[in-house]
Amino acid sequence: FHYEAGGVSALGGVSMYPLPTLDNGEIPLEAMEEAHSNRPDDQHAAPIGCIALENTHNRKGGRVLSLEYMRSVRDWAVERGYPVHLDGARAFNAAAALGVPIKDVMDLVTSATFCLSKGLGAPVGSVIVGPAAFVKRAHRLRKMLGGGLRQGGVLAAMGLVALREVPPLLAKDHSNAKAFAKAIANIDGVVVDMYAVDSNIVILRLTAMAPPRAEVVKRLQDNGVLVCAFKDGIRAVWHLDVNSEQVPLAAEALRKAVSN
């Protein structure tokens, strides 16, 4: 709905029905039930095709959906005949934060996508998972859209390294993110909710005491710290290529960047 240039509608012929999302990334079951109950069964209304969740939730700052919540959505959807799709771009981060195998997360949805690059550290690549017939159809649609790649072996090799070697390292990214949030919590002009850092994403906001956001982002970039403007704040993402020793360096760079 927010990203991908509207491709889901322009190319997929699918309309979106956004529902309110809580700060922890959950869509209340009550909101789903209201949307389900208010869809008339006639030619004027688009039928509901599936329920889509995101775990971890990017726009909520990497919040992690619990297995209990995902199970409740799955059970609700099954009762009403809906499949559940997971936007799992950072699903391996969710599994690491929950302390469970990725299979435990994926078992609670009908289909999912996950990125080999985000979190897992491969240069490029995403994977779609689900029932065999679903994946076969996805292969055909990808070809129709020009997404086929003949010489994909090198990329696949990188993806296999990411899948085999990186998941055990993700917990360190999460601890680094939490350490960074703690380190910047007392910087004048910066507001961060340390208790909202579930995984590898830190969202910080600037007060009126700080320089304009674009200037802060540029100052950080000039000092070798890459962040991005995000919603009404700044997003910092901790990953495979950032180590623990760089946490205090990034915090100090931010301290200098917000000083007038």
Side-chain angles (χ1 to χ4, degrees):
F1 177 75
H2 289 285
Y3 305 115
E4 321 311 343
V8 65
S9 298
L11 302 177
V14 176
S15 61
M16 306 292 286
Y17 193 93
L19 296 175
T21 304
L22 303 178
D23 287 341
N24 64 359
E26 296 180 0
I27 301 173
L29 286 177
E30 295 79 8
M32 295 185 195
E33 181 59 35
E34 182 178 0
H36 164 77
S37 301
N38 290 341
R39 304 302 288 171
D41 184 19
D42 64 33
Q43 68 271 25
H44 298 94
I48 297 174
C50 79
I51 308 298
L53 302 175
E54 184 180 10
N55 198 10
T56 65
H57 198 295
N58 176 41
R59 288 179 62 83
K60 295 301 181 180
R63 299 305 298 268
V64 177
L65 304 183
S66 69
L67 295 183
E68 292 75 19
Y69 169 74
M70 291 186 65
R71 188 174 294 108
S72 69
V73 172
R74 189 271 313 273
D75 292 346
W76 179 90
V78 167
E79 287 182 6
R80 290 153 184 79
Y82 302 139
V84 179
H85 178 76
L86 178 66
D87 177 348
R90 300 172 180 85
F92 280 82
N93 289 93
L98 294 168
V100 301
I102 186 65
K103 181 179 184 297
D104 289 5
V105 177
M106 296 298 184
D107 278 348
L108 297 175
V109 295
T110 315
S111 61
T113 56
F114 65 84
C115 287
L116 296 168
S117 54
K118 296 172 183 173
L120 292 179
V124 64
S126 294
V127 176
I128 189 166
V129 297
F134 170 83
V135 173
K136 183 177 181 179
R137 176 165 167 73
H139 281 163
R140 177 175 291 276
L141 292 173
R142 182 184 67 176
K143 188 67 173 178
M144 289 172 60
L145 295 171
L149 185 63
R150 297 183 186 279
Q151 296 81 17
V154 174
L155 297 181
M158 297 174 185
L160 288 173
V161 171
L163 286 170
R164 291 167 179 167
E165 298 185 10
V166 178
L169 307 178
L170 294 177
K172 189 63 178 177
D173 293 337
H174 299 179
S175 65
N176 285 340
K178 292 173 183 178
F180 177 69
K182 183 177 180 179
I184 67 174
N186 294 321
I187 296 178
D188 291 337
V190 174
V191 176
V192 62
D193 183 358
M194 293 186 295
Y195 301 101
V197 181
D198 284 348
S199 56
N200 65 324
I201 298 176
V202 178
I203 304 296
L204 61 101
R205 291 172 175 80
L206 303 175
T207 71
M209 297 174 57
R213 180 174 64 173
E215 178 63 23
V216 172
V217 171
K218 184 178 185 304
R219 290 180 183 181
L220 285 169
Q221 181 177 350
D222 291 343
N223 283 280
V225 179
L226 302 182
V227 297
C228 68
F230 187 75
K231 297 174 66 177
D232 60 344
I234 292 174
R235 188 183 72 162
V237 181
W238 297 84
H239 53 85
L240 181 65
D241 300 312
V242 184
N243 60 44
S244 300
E245 288 72 25
Q246 292 171 307
V247 171
L249 299 179
E252 181 58 25
L254 179 62
R255 185 184 304 276
K256 293 177 179 178
V258 298
S259 62
N260 285 300

